[in-house]
Amino acid sequence: MSTAEFENTDVAVQELEQAIASPTLVQERPLEMQAEDVSVWFGKRKVLEGVSIDFPKNTVTALIGPSGCGKSTFIRTLNRLHELIPSAAIAGTIRYEGKDIYAPEVDPVHIRLAIGMVFQKPNPFPSMTIRGNVLSGLKLSGMKRSDHDQIVEQTLTAAGLWNEVKDRLNHAAGDLSGGQQQRLVIARALAVNPHVLLMDEPCSALDPASTLKIEETIRELAKEITIVIVTHNMQQAVRVADNTAFFLAAEGEPGHVVEQGATTEIFGNPKDQRTLDYVNGRFG
């Protein structure tokens, strides 16, 4: 990692410390999404119990906690990907713009367009061109747009990739580095104009420099859309998230949310001893 990148990390930590020392009131924002008392099963095994989280518009919410506590399962419930697993079941309510996304009359395809997903491992179409990858989401969803050049430039710019690839849009996506491929996947997700972007450990397979670029992209995107990110990187949660929810599962028990709130509070002044122990690296 370069000196500049280390300085960026130091600045993020200093800003958190300042926010903890001098908390300021943040104007409440309307909710984009809301999970109420969500429980999840795989067959007869209950893996999540009673999760309730609010997601205000244009904010980043980090989901943290040890492996196996249900974070990835929960994030998949937020755009109905969970129901693609045959043995899966869900109870509770998830609202997007005030409406239950699991209501019988709601089209899951519409939900997955409005609430996009970026997975842990970059998954562009490697033999397809960079331009083709960006536009593939439009084609697969059946959305008809004529301003393809504008969409390609806008989404690659939003994903922080345009300046690196603008002269090779017709090259294969497989030629890109891992970090570039992940930003290309973000651009592809943005092409269908989602209101929410779910990110399941999007930086876990990337080097530190690529991780910081993704984090910069997340903060820029949050000016326009709502983001939910699963991360095992505590420093990343500090750097990018406005709010944080800490998940935990006792042995043999379903996962649940121990504590949630402003990131400054969760990391600087947690109310639960288990949260304090986790964010300070005592387990997990």
Side-chain angles (χ1 to χ4, degrees):
M1 186 184 293
S2 69
T3 302
E5 288 162 351
F6 272 118
E7 290 173 351
N8 287 340
T9 303
D10 291 341
V11 168
V13 174
Q14 290 168 7
E15 288 176 349
L16 175 65
E17 291 173 345
Q18 291 168 2
I20 294 168
S22 305
T24 56
L25 292 175
V26 178
Q27 184 177 3
E28 290 189 5
R29 302 182 186 184
L31 295 182
E32 188 81 70
M33 296 191 71
Q34 186 177 33
E36 296 181 353
D37 197 26
V38 173
S39 296
V40 173
W41 293 260
F42 292 118
K44 295 182 179 180
R45 184 169 65 94
K46 195 174 192 178
V47 295
L48 272 180
E49 182 169 22
V51 175
S52 297
I53 303 177
D54 291 344
F55 303 98
K57 288 181 179 289
N58 304 128
T59 58
V60 180
T61 300
L63 310 181
I64 65 171
S67 297
C69 63
K71 304 181 302 298
S72 293
T73 295
F74 175 70
I75 202 173
R76 290 172 66 91
T77 69
L78 297 179
N79 71 344
R80 297 185 57 164
L81 282 177
H82 173 69
E83 67 184 358
L84 297 178
I85 301 172
S87 65
I90 183 171
T93 305
I94 295 173
R95 292 188 174 89
Y96 163 63
E97 295 186 338
K99 298 179 181 179
D100 183 358
I101 69 171
Y102 285 89
E105 68 276 10
V106 175
D107 183 354
V109 174
H110 171 75
I111 291 299
R112 292 170 197 144
L113 288 174
I115 306 171
M117 174 74 90
V118 174
F119 296 96
Q120 181 175 0
K121 184 178 179 180
N123 61 344
F125 303 111
S127 60
M128 188 181 289
T129 66
I130 294 168
R131 173 187 168 85
N133 265 274
V134 173
L135 299 175
S136 63
L138 290 172
K139 295 177 181 178
L140 291 171
S141 64
M143 297 177 67
K144 296 182 179 180
R145 296 278 298 272
S146 59
D147 52 340
H148 286 181
D149 289 343
Q150 184 177 359
I151 292 170
V152 169
E153 181 173 353
Q154 286 179 343
T155 58
L156 287 172
T157 299
L161 189 57
W162 173 252
N163 288 334
E164 296 172 41
V165 302
K166 62 184 179 181
D167 295 325
R168 48 188 179 128
L169 296 176
N170 291 320
H171 289 205
D175 294 339
L176 298 176
S177 69
Q180 289 174 326
Q181 288 186 21
Q182 191 67 299
R183 282 180 284 153
L184 177 59
V185 170
I186 293 172
R188 183 176 68 193
L190 295 176
V192 297
N193 197 29
H195 290 185
V196 180
L197 189 59
L198 311 176
M199 310 182 85
D200 191 0
E201 296 190 63
C203 303
S204 64
L206 305 181
D207 61 83
S210 296
T211 293
L212 283 176
K213 289 182 179 179
I214 295 288
E215 290 175 0
E216 291 169 1
T217 297
I218 290 170
R219 291 309 313 172
E220 283 298 311
L221 290 176
K223 296 175 183 178
E224 303 292 335
I225 64 177
T226 302
I227 296 175
V228 185
I229 178 172
V230 172
T231 180
H232 282 282
N233 185 324
M234 297 300 95
Q235 289 75 27
Q236 181 171 83
V238 167
R239 290 191 293 263
V240 305
D242 303 290
N243 302 308
T244 297
F246 170 49
F247 284 65
L248 191 61
E251 185 175 354
E253 297 295 326
H256 65 285
V257 173
V258 171
E259 187 172 353
Q260 61 181 298
T263 299
T264 52
E265 288 294 315
I266 295 299
F267 283 86
N269 188 31
K271 297 178 175 61
D272 193 292
Q273 182 64 40
R274 293 169 295 177
T275 310
L276 180 64
D277 289 343
Y278 183 75
V279 300
N280 282 296
R282 298 186 184 121
F283 71 95

